[in-house]
Amino acid sequence: MRGPGRLRRTRGGVFASVLALGAGLLRSARLTFRTSSDSTAGSAESHSIVPVTGTWTESTVTYDTRPTLSTSVPGTISGATSVSTGYAAELNASPLGGALGSATSLALTGSGTDSLRIWSSEATAAFRPQLVLTFGDE
């Protein structure tokens, strides 16, 4: 059984998601996204996908007030070099399993010199990022 989490892009590279409850155990998680049409949207560098541990609100978050992040890295985006192209990043499902049925946030971080620009929840449905959860028998 597959179930998408609702994922929306906010300022500062933070994503908010409600992880859906599924039947059985969480077996896998994947973040699907599409780079924007901006000519510099792709990135040759890797970007980590990390859980957000601090509190924040979309209407007030800025770089200076950004929430704290977990030290765990359940996934990495790499090779997203082309503009206006769909990609997927596999995530370690274990860190997400404890958040099932609740709201959680993920952030994209990078230490390189180029940015990764992806479509947000405000894009048309086909371009929005999505957290895809796969459940299986216990």
Side-chain angles (χ1 to χ4, degrees):
M1 173 181 253
R2 291 174 50 171
R6 292 188 309 270
L7 191 69
R8 58 191 171 99
R9 170 75 164 81
T10 64
R11 289 182 264 176
V14 176
F15 291 84
S17 179
V18 176
L19 297 184
L21 289 174
L25 295 174
L26 178 60
R27 296 293 183 194
S28 67
R30 181 177 64 246
L31 176 64
T32 61
F33 61 96
R34 186 173 183 86
T35 52
S36 81
S37 57
D38 183 274
S39 64
T40 62
S43 176
E45 298 172 1
S46 293
H47 300 269
S48 298
I49 304 166
V50 296
V52 175
T53 56
T55 59
W56 63 281
T57 58
E58 184 172 359
S59 62
T60 62
V61 70
T62 66
Y63 182 82
D64 291 333
T65 64
R66 66 193 181 278
T68 55
L69 305 178
S70 172
T71 56
S72 72
V73 179
T76 302
I77 295 171
S78 57
T81 57
S82 297
V83 171
S84 213
T85 302
Y87 292 97
E90 298 300 320
L91 306 177
N92 177 351
S94 295
L96 301 176
L100 291 174
S102 65
T104 192
S105 299
L106 300 171
L108 301 181
T109 64
S111 58
T113 58
D114 69 347
S115 297
L116 176 64
R117 292 179 178 85
I118 67 173
W119 288 106
S120 71
S121 65
E122 294 149 2
T124 60
F127 289 4
R128 294 176 189 158
Q130 192 170 42
L131 182 62
V132 179
L133 306 175
T134 303
F135 296 87
D137 293 334
E138 295 186 35

